């Protein structure tokens, strides 16, 4: 049986510039989203944000933060919030997801936290945690809005919850509106593609950059780093390229 690689790295202020960010492996081509994410991380690491990855050229990592400092509209005291836990390609099926999640849980206990939480959904959705995986470790649904669910592993029966403003899932505008943050290195490229498409269309699109913790906590919908509204109604958390945006217009 192949021996499990246990060579993990936590990003720090000292190694942030030299280590790749997993979801986009550094290449010679300049990518504005990567540098924006590095800047975002440099500020967040000081707040207790953790980015832990396997020391390989691949997507094997977990990213989490104290809930009070996490850029999501979730409230609760003393929890860690998981932004992303991702194992892909040839690294699947080797127990790396288990190792990463157990690291987060143990870190929460060492720090005297109340538990760990993460956004998921009733049915599997792209860019969200796999509910079945987390349920195996004792997580349970503690709050929900439409198809979205907040999962929590509590050490003492305390429960986090979605902020009240999330329940609106509506805004007072008929323009297509996109909320985004630099937390995801893909968002800036998505915006670039949409703006390129807009050059040939007479369409009003409002881009709202979520660039502070306060904005993230008070957003009127489910949000992890991207949220789309159409005709005043929340549509999706799925990132849009030019093709995806065109489909949104025609739906």
């Amino acid at each position: 049986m192949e021996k499990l690689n246990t060579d993990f790295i936590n990003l720090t202020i000292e190694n942030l510039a030299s280590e790749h960010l997993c979801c986009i492996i550094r290449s010679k081509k300049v990518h504005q989203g990567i540098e924006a994410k590095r800047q975002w991380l440099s500020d967040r690491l000081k707040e207790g944000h953790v980015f832990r990855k396997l020391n390989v050229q691949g997507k094997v990592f977990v990213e989490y933060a104290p809930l009070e400092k996490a850029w999501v509209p979730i409230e609760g005291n003393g929890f860690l919030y998981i932004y992303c836990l991702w194992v892909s390609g040839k690294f699947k099926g080797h127990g790396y997801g288990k190792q990463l999640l157990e690291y987060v849980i143990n870190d929460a206990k060492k720090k005297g936290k109340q538990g760990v939480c993460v956004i998921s959904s009733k049915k599997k959705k792209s860019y969200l945690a796999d509910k079945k995986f987390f349920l195996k470790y004792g997580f349970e649904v503690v709050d929900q809005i439409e198809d979205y669910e907040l999962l929590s592993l509590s050490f003492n029966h305390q429960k986090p919850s979605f902020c009240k403003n999330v329940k609106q899932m509506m805004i007072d505008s008929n323009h297509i509106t996109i909320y985004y943050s630099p937390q995801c290195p893909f968002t800036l490229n998505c915006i670039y593609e949409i703006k390129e498409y807009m050059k040939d269309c007479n369409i009003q699109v409002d881009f709202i950059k979520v660039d502070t913790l306060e904005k993230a906590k008070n957003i009127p919908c489910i949000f992890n780093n991207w949220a789309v509204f159409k005709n005043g109604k929340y549509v999706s958390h799925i990132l849009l390229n030019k093709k995806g945006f065109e489909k949104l217009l025609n739906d």
Side-chain angles (χ1 to χ4, degrees):
M1 185 176 179
E2 183 180 352
K3 186 177 180 181
L4 196 64
N5 186 344
T6 57
D7 184 14
F8 286 92
I9 296 173
N10 282 24
L11 294 187
T12 64
I13 295 297
E14 291 71 28
N15 67 16
L16 180 58
S18 59
E19 292 291 338
H20 71 73
L21 299 181
C22 292
C23 39
I24 298 182
I25 305 298
R26 179 185 285 278
S27 65
K28 292 182 180 179
K29 185 178 179 181
V30 175
H31 192 294
Q32 60 177 338
I34 293 178
E35 299 315 312
K37 174 63 181 277
R38 287 188 194 281
Q39 182 57 56
W40 187 85
L41 276 174
S42 69
D43 295 329
R44 303 288 79 73
L45 291 174
K46 303 167 189 174
E47 301 170 348
H49 188 106
V50 176
F51 190 117
R52 182 173 178 80
K53 65 173 186 170
L54 190 65
N55 190 19
V56 294
Q57 286 292 105
K59 300 178 180 69
V60 187
F61 72 101
V62 67
E63 191 172 356
Y64 63 95
L67 181 56
E68 294 85 349
K69 295 293 185 178
W71 286 29
V72 288
I74 299 171
E75 57 188 0
N77 295 319
F79 282 82
L80 293 181
Y81 173 77
I82 298 177
Y83 285 103
C84 186
L85 194 161
W86 193 0
V87 179
S88 71
K90 65 181 180 180
F91 301 102
K92 285 185 176 181
H94 297 284
Y96 292 123
K98 179 176 183 290
Q99 282 195 81
L100 289 168
L101 181 56
E102 289 180 347
Y103 180 88
V104 180
I105 294 171
N106 290 332
D107 193 26
K109 291 178 178 178
K110 287 178 183 178
K111 292 174 177 174
K113 299 294 184 180
Q114 308 276 13
V116 181
C117 61
V118 64
I119 293 178
S120 185
S121 52
K122 293 178 181 178
K123 293 184 179 180
K124 185 73 177 75
K125 292 181 182 288
S126 299
Y127 306 113
L128 292 183
D130 184 347
K131 180 180 178 179
K132 291 181 180 179
F133 175 74
F134 282 87
L135 292 181
K136 291 179 184 177
Y137 292 88
F139 283 73
E140 61 178 348
V141 178
V142 294
D143 202 357
Q144 65 181 63
I145 297 174
E146 298 181 359
D147 292 333
Y148 297 93
E149 296 179 328
L150 178 59
L151 305 182
S152 173
L153 174 65
S154 176
F155 305 147
N156 59 5
H157 306 297
Q158 298 297 313
K159 295 180 181 180
S161 62
F162 288 119
C163 297
K164 291 181 179 179
N165 43 278
V166 176
K167 302 181 187 299
Q168 299 175 36
M169 302 292 272
M170 295 183 68
I171 59 174
D172 187 21
S173 173
N174 288 325
H175 298 163
I176 291 177
T177 302
I178 298 175
Y179 291 83
Y180 71 97
S181 82
Q183 190 267 329
C184 173
F186 291 103
T187 57
L188 294 185
N189 190 60
C190 289
I191 291 170
Y192 172 79
E193 289 201 26
I194 292 171
K195 286 184 176 179
E196 284 295 298
Y197 182 89
M198 287 168 57
K199 288 179 180 179
D200 299 321
C201 304
N202 185 24
I203 301 169
Q204 174 72 47
V205 180
D206 296 333
F207 297 99
I208 300 178
K209 186 176 182 180
V210 179
D211 52 7
T212 67
L213 176 64
E214 182 181 10
K215 288 181 182 179
K217 291 294 186 186
N218 288 284
I219 198 167
C221 65
I222 296 293
F223 181 77
N224 208 26
N225 51 60
W226 181 270
V228 182
F229 286 82
K230 182 180 180 182
N231 296 323
K233 296 181 180 179
Y234 174 81
V235 177
S236 176
H237 70 282
I238 304 296
L239 297 173
L240 296 172
N241 55 18
K242 185 183 293 186
K243 185 176 180 180
F245 182 70
E246 184 175 24
K247 183 177 184 301
L248 173 70
L249 294 178
N250 296 326
D251 283 346

